[in-house]
Amino acid sequence: MKFKLLVVDDEKNIREGLAAALEMDGYEVVCAADGDEGWNRFGKGDIDLVITDLRMPGISGEELMRRIGAGTPGIPVIILTGHGTVENAVAAMRDGAWDFLTKPVNLDRLSLLVKRALANREMVLQHRRMEEELERHKQFESIIGRSPAMRKVFDTMSRVAPARASILITGESGVGKELVADAIHELSPRKGKPLIKVHCAALSAGLLESELFGHEKGAFTGAVSRRRGRFELANEGTLFLDEIGEIDQNLQIKLLRVLQEREFERVGGEETIETDVRIVAATNKDLKSEIEKGDFREDLYFRLNVVNIHVPPLRERKDDIPLLAASFLHEFAAENGKTIEGIHEKARSRLYAYDWPGNIRELRNCLESAVVMCRGAIITEDDLPPALRNTGDEGWIRIPPGTNLEESEKIIIRGTLSFYKGNKSKAADALGIGRKTLQRKLGEESE
Ligand SMILES: Nc1ncnc2c1ncn2[C@@H]1O[C@H](COP(=O)(O)OP(=O)(O)OP(=O)(O)O)[C@@H](O)[C@H]1O
Ligand SMILES: [Mg+2]
């Protein structure tokens, strides 16, 4: 899309000169001969940036700027000023002008100013679009995602939430498994009844058993009174068993029985207790290989995994990064009492280039520290943690200025080859040339 700029100056030579220079830079330019005409033209609503003289017949440059700012915040206004009005120009900057230029206008400087102002505007707009999109994303509780992979997760969630079937949520650490469990409960008819969570890896086998099933007074040393377990507390609600891959064989058998028969006894008790709970379990282990090793019962696996929801790692759904980033920025800016208007292009590309082994938890922590580090209103590369800044130039091909075309071509070919791990057919395909041509261009003998 071409940016459209409005140049307002009562001197015909100046506005035409500026227009010509800016058109050379690839912008579309419209001109106005005074403030009133400028304001009317601006009213059409398609202008991205305004360059205006200060003193003109009719409404002044300051007034024009004020009106623009009040109606459409975020449109950069660059002020042109003669010698006599520099002070007014400085005052205009305090009132929100992007910058000013003294006449006669240095065209290189103008070109740079316009470029920066538009880049900044794009950044701010992009951030706003993200915030608006966030507003529309409230349907799955606090789970953010618009990638096809997450849409699939949402789709499965809404289809299975109403049922009683057990659900096994799989995925790497930090992908949001617990959030999915929360949302399933909220979307189910059990909403309003308890959602009880048990972290299976946090307790020893014995403690976990009495935690789940409860115990009778005197069942073991320290059992001074009868205690109801999580299965009882979760009655009519949902029981979330986190890190299910960690439970031992003995408990696996007991769990299997509750899942099959919907009844159990407290530790040390005789009474059989019936229970109506929906089980949602989560693991970051590959349970199939645990089964092969003999560490996890296959029959229990089938009972738990009636429905599987796999939450993909962040590196497989990088489309979600901008929206997630906007949401975390919003959260931490508020928490730290800061105003953050956007993420600089370079910082943004760092977020994309990184592989996020710690998934969304890591992204969240990264943006929290970026907000804390950030000095201005824009998150820059320097605000990001070192791990992200050191991704180097992987995935990029660098060509130093001054390299001739022939050599540049070789660098591109070698870079593409190394990206495809030396696979010449793939590299040739990606470059749109034949394999033989690729070899010839590299000065190799064809095989
Ligand atoms: N789609 C998402 N939208 C917003 N926040 C998310 C999303 N996914 C994860 N988070 C946030 O990331 C953090 C980690 O999520 P969560 O605890 O659900 O991950 P997990 O898969 O259970 O990880 P672990 O296996 O380590 O327990 C939480 O702070 C959570 O709020
Ligand atoms: Mg978890």
Side-chain angles (χ1 to χ4, degrees):
M1 188 200 75
K2 249 188 178 182
F3 287 109
K4 202 179 266 183
L5 318 186
L6 173 63
V7 175
V8 190
D9 199 304
D10 53 337
E11 279 179 67
K12 188 164 185 274
N13 289 345
I14 293 190
R15 59 174 189 268
E16 285 180 357
L18 295 185
L22 291 164
E23 275 164 2
M24 294 268 285
D25 283 343
Y27 304 114
E28 198 177 329
V29 184
V30 288
C31 292
D34 59 43
D36 293 295
E37 191 187 334
W39 176 235
N40 284 336
R41 181 58 193 81
F42 184 80
K44 286 195 182 172
D46 56 352
I47 300 294
D48 298 297
L49 178 143
V50 178
I51 299 167
T52 179
D53 191 17
L54 275 184
R55 278 193 205 150
M56 295 174 293
I59 64 172
S60 68
E62 285 105 328
E63 174 60 19
L64 180 62
M65 186 188 84
R66 233 182 329 272
R67 291 190 188 178
I68 289 171
T72 345
I75 302 275
V77 177
I78 294 174
I79 301 280
L80 302 176
T81 168
H83 282 306
T85 49
V86 172
E87 273 178 26
N88 304 36
V90 174
M93 277 189 68
R94 275 197 294 271
D95 288 341
W98 174 259
D99 211 332
F100 70 89
L101 284 170
T102 44
K103 294 181 188 173
V105 173
N106 174 331
L107 292 179
D108 287 338
R109 196 160 143 62
L110 173 72
S111 163
L112 197 67
L113 262 187
V114 167
K115 197 170 136 200
R116 289 214 184 117
L118 287 171
N120 184 75
R121 170 149 190 269
E122 269 301 278
M123 205 157 62
V124 171
L125 285 182
Q126 191 174 11
H127 190 64
R128 274 196 207 141
R129 277 197 296 272
M130 285 299 150
E131 298 226 313
E132 280 166 23
E133 193 168 333
L134 275 177
E135 276 304 302
R136 294 199 298 273
H137 255 81
K138 295 275 160 79
Q139 77 266 40
F140 280 100
E141 305 304 316
S142 45
I143 309 182
I144 293 158
R146 58 171 175 177
S147 57
M150 280 315 280
R151 293 224 172 104
K152 215 174 121 201
V153 169
F154 294 152
D155 181 54
T156 316
M157 278 166 57
S158 48
R159 275 189 289 144
V160 302
R164 188 184 178 278
S166 304
I167 297 176
L168 181 65
I169 307 171
T170 51
E172 290 175 15
S173 187
V175 288
K177 297 185 293 296
E178 187 163 347
L179 280 190
V180 170
D182 291 343
I184 287 172
H185 178 73
E186 286 303 310
L187 293 167
S188 80
R190 291 166 184 264
K191 174 185 172 169
K193 301 284 179 184
L195 165 65
I196 304 279
K197 298 183 178 180
V198 182
H199 197 289
C200 300
L203 301 169
S204 69
L207 275 180
L208 183 57
E209 182 176 353
S210 91
E211 190 70 26
L212 287 174
F213 303 114
H215 58 73
E216 295 294 342
K217 184 175 175 181
F220 49 85
T221 333
V224 287
S225 61
R226 170 197 271 186
R227 184 157 179 248
R228 295 199 302 156
R230 302 297 173 106
F231 267 102
E232 271 177 83
L233 296 175
N235 197 26
E236 296 184 358
T238 307
L239 183 63
F240 177 54
L241 300 174
D242 203 0
E243 312 268 7
I244 191 76
E246 304 299 325
I247 64 173
D248 74 356
Q249 295 277 350
N250 168 43
L251 210 53
Q252 289 181 25
I253 297 173
K254 298 202 164 150
L255 206 53
L256 181 63
R257 176 168 167 232
V258 203
L259 285 172
Q260 283 172 343
E261 287 152 34
R262 304 183 185 183
E263 58 182 35
F264 64 93
E265 286 94 37
R266 297 192 189 102
V267 178
E270 309 267 296
E271 184 193 352
T272 298
I273 297 160
E274 279 186 29
T275 178
D276 165 29
V277 294
R278 194 231 194 123
I279 305 283
V280 178
T283 181
N284 52 25
K285 278 192 171 173
D286 176 12
L287 286 188
K288 289 222 176 90
S289 74
E290 298 294 303
I291 293 170
E292 271 164 32
K293 281 191 282 174
D295 290 339
F296 204 86
R297 293 183 67 99
E298 191 170 32
D299 45 9
L300 176 59
Y301 173 77
F302 286 129
R303 284 279 169 183
L304 289 171
N305 194 34
V306 177
V307 178
N308 173 232
I309 298 182
H310 180 70
V311 190
L314 187 54
R315 64 180 172 281
E316 287 175 14
R317 47 174 163 121
K318 289 192 170 176
D319 300 356
D320 286 337
I321 291 177
L323 206 55
L324 283 163
S327 148
F328 296 142
L329 281 187
H330 191 85
E331 174 185 349
F332 293 118
E335 202 174 295
N336 290 281
K338 288 192 174 179
T339 307
I340 302 286
E341 284 178 353
I343 306 178
H344 192 273
E345 198 47 49
K346 283 191 181 152
R348 194 175 287 279
S349 60
R350 289 295 186 196
L351 296 183
Y352 267 112
Y354 189 59
D355 250 0
W356 303 105
N359 292 298
I360 300 166
R361 181 177 296 119
E362 188 181 10
L363 176 66
R364 191 166 185 272
N365 293 343
C366 161
L367 286 162
E368 177 171 20
S369 84
V371 169
V372 172
M373 297 292 287
C374 181
R375 290 211 193 89
I378 302 286
I379 302 280
T380 66
E381 222 179 345
D382 291 342
D383 302 327
L384 300 176
L388 267 90
R389 277 183 272 141
N390 295 339
T391 49
D393 289 305
E394 292 150 62
W396 294 93
I397 295 170
R398 278 164 65 103
I399 299 174
T403 312
N404 70 33
L405 260 183
E406 197 183 337
E407 187 53 31
S408 302
E409 195 182 43
K410 279 191 184 160
I411 297 178
I412 294 174
I413 295 175
R414 281 190 222 112
T416 309
L417 252 178
S418 101
F419 181 77
Y420 287 102
K421 305 200 166 44
N423 186 325
K424 287 181 186 156
S425 312
K426 280 194 186 160
D429 261 2
L431 292 164
I433 55 176
R435 195 186 146 103
K436 291 220 168 92
T437 315
L438 180 140
Q439 283 173 320
R440 183 170 43 77
K441 285 189 186 283
L442 284 176
E444 287 177 11
E445 297 289 329
S446 50
E447 290 153 16

